[in-house]
Amino acid sequence: MLRLLTAGESHGRGILAILDGMPAGIKIDTALVNQELKRRQAGFGRGGRMKIESDRAQILSGLKNSRTLGSPLAILVENKDFRIDKMAKVMCPRPGHADLSGLLKYGLSDVREVLERASARSTAATVGVGALCKILLKEFGIRIMSRVLSIGGENSRIGMIEKIKEAIDNKDTIGGIFEVVAKNVPAGLGSYAQPDRRLDSCLSAGIMSIPGIKAVEIGLGLGYAVSFGSEVHDAIYYKKGKGYFRKTNNAGGIEGGISNGEDIIVRACMKPICTLMHPLDSVNISTKRSSKASTERSDICVVEAAGVVAESTLAFALADALLEKFGADSLVDIKRSFTAYKKRIL
Ligand code: EPS
């Protein structure tokens, strides 16, 4: 139902997104979009770029008097740090980054030509689009939030801060795990009928598309591997007026690729940022001699920001599944269909 394309380089004019397929009749408050962009820029351990930028969304199309028309929405987030044509060449690819694989794939001779697009700056567009999807989901009572669960293996708040401080002091970087939760999602989004219609498959692909993500798990996730079935499946209950419900939620709100009415719970692991101020071994792509990897201004820890981006990719997957289930043209029609369905499944 929804289609998304993004464009833009980290130090180009700006980051853009086109979101096609949003229904007509949704009131868009740009302040809410900007609030989400601000959240993406925050978190302890962010680098110098976030002091330069104050991301704001310009919605260039798809609205009249702040209401969606059903036509494509184009979003632009301008870069203040726009100097792509003046930046020095980069010769020694960073282990862990797209630098080397991108060079080989596209036949380029300057790592900068890879890293400008292969930059997490692109997630400003993801979050802009996610904010629009959240506004749609809110019309149906669906809310999405995230939190950091651990940094460098530490899961107390103080431990996490200490770990980031340690990385800052050692001029190193650190990753961690975050959790994203969607509340009040109706049962019935997604489908087992085709692999690409499974809600778990769609939302995992979205989260895995965020730069630096190395693992995604839903509900109990890897924990399922160490338990008996009788210990982990969520028994089914029914109450008149409330409908079907569970007392546990190991499934993370999804069974058979379909939402089951419980909270959707996803966790993901973000690797440490791969720009290291004490760089690892690399090779100069021009001389082919051993050299240390290039250094760039970067962040120390972006796990909190990655959680905000993941909220956006989850919002996109849920909005897409919601429109598939209830219709996609007009908010009024979708609400009517949603209300009738909710009544039927009680
Ligand atoms: C980012 C902007 C980038 C990086 C970071 C995320 O800006 P710059 O390269 O000018 O410092 O800070 O990107 C990466 C860490 C990466 O590896 O791509 C942003 O807007 O989030």
Side-chain angles (χ1 to χ4, degrees):
M1 296 293 121
L2 289 176
R3 290 187 299 169
L4 168 64
L5 274 181
T6 71
E9 279 69 38
S10 185
H11 305 94
R13 276 281 305 278
I15 304 293
L16 300 104
I18 293 185
L19 176 64
D20 185 40
M22 279 290 261
I26 309 165
K27 181 118 179 80
I28 300 294
D29 181 353
T30 312
L32 289 179
V33 180
N34 288 332
Q35 206 173 297
E36 292 294 297
L37 291 177
K38 197 169 177 189
R39 287 181 65 223
R40 190 200 74 92
Q41 291 198 263
F44 184 47
R46 299 290 330 243
R49 181 74 183 269
M50 293 305 105
K51 295 191 180 82
I52 299 172
E53 304 292 344
S54 43
D55 293 343
R56 299 190 77 74
Q58 298 172 50
I59 302 180
L60 305 178
S61 73
L63 295 181
K64 183 171 180 293
N65 295 327
S66 303
R67 221 167 260 284
T68 56
L69 299 168
S71 52
L73 288 142
I75 307 180
L76 168 65
V77 179
E78 280 186 37
N79 289 328
K80 285 191 180 153
D81 196 7
F82 167 35
R83 57 187 162 102
I84 188 168
D85 294 331
K86 298 190 190 87
M87 296 182 85
K89 284 188 172 188
V90 177
M91 284 296 133
C92 302
R94 293 161 294 175
H97 210 275
D99 295 355
L100 181 60
S101 45
L103 273 177
L104 298 175
K105 179 176 171 67
Y106 291 103
L108 301 171
S109 53
D110 173 5
V111 173
R112 177 150 306 282
E113 292 169 353
V114 174
L115 69 84
E116 278 295 325
R117 177 65 184 153
S119 163
R121 179 97 194 112
S122 65
T123 59
T126 314
V127 170
V129 164
L132 298 177
C133 293
K134 279 186 177 182
I135 292 171
L136 167 67
L137 294 172
K138 205 168 157 213
E139 295 281 349
F140 300 87
I142 301 170
R143 289 177 296 123
I144 300 178
M145 57 220 73
S146 66
R147 63 188 177 130
V148 177
L149 293 185
S150 66
I151 299 287
E154 296 289 336
N155 47 29
S156 70
R157 197 174 153 69
I158 291 175
M160 290 195 265
I161 290 171
E162 286 303 317
K163 207 75 191 178
I164 298 172
K165 281 186 180 159
E166 193 183 328
I168 293 172
D169 291 347
N170 296 336
K171 294 198 179 327
D172 212 325
T173 61
I174 189 85
I177 297 173
F178 62 81
E179 182 176 83
V180 198
V181 176
K183 289 191 172 290
N184 214 17
V185 178
L189 302 189
S191 173
Y192 48 75
Q194 291 295 341
D196 65 352
R197 290 181 59 203
R198 293 182 73 98
L199 187 60
D200 41 9
S201 140
C202 296
L203 70 84
S204 308
I207 293 177
M208 194 52 101
S209 77
I210 301 166
I213 299 299
K214 279 299 192 187
V216 179
E217 69 175 8
I218 296 174
L220 192 55
L222 292 172
Y224 274 113
V226 295
S227 304
F228 291 108
S230 56
E231 297 169 319
V232 287
H233 293 302
D234 305 310
I236 301 172
Y237 302 92
Y238 180 83
K239 197 170 176 190
K240 212 163 179 253
K242 179 176 178 176
Y244 296 100
F245 68 98
R246 318 298 173 97
K247 293 180 185 170
T248 55
N249 186 16
N250 289 325
I254 302 178
E255 289 169 311
I258 304 176
S259 59
N260 65 5
E262 302 299 320
D263 289 351
I264 291 186
I265 302 174
V266 193
R267 280 178 294 279
C269 160
M270 156 149 277
K271 69 185 180 186
I273 292 283
C274 35
T275 306
L276 302 175
M277 293 307 154
H278 295 306
L280 296 174
D281 289 346
S282 183
V283 172
N284 183 303
I285 56 166
S286 165
T287 64
K288 303 285 192 286
R289 290 215 180 94
S290 282
S291 173
K292 290 294 175 190
S294 302
T295 55
E296 281 272 313
R297 174 186 62 201
S298 192
D299 302 280
I300 306 293
C301 181
V302 288
V303 180
E304 189 174 333
V308 176
V309 182
E311 287 177 34
S312 294
T313 63
L314 179 56
F316 181 88
L318 289 176
D320 192 39
L322 184 113
L323 298 179
E324 182 193 54
K325 175 93 186 90
F326 299 111
D329 294 332
S330 140
L331 185 62
V332 175
D333 293 348
I334 300 167
K335 281 198 169 169
R336 199 173 295 130
S337 155
F338 180 83
T339 307
Y341 171 78
K342 289 277 275 190
K343 207 168 151 198
R344 169 169 81 66
I345 63 171
L346 268 185

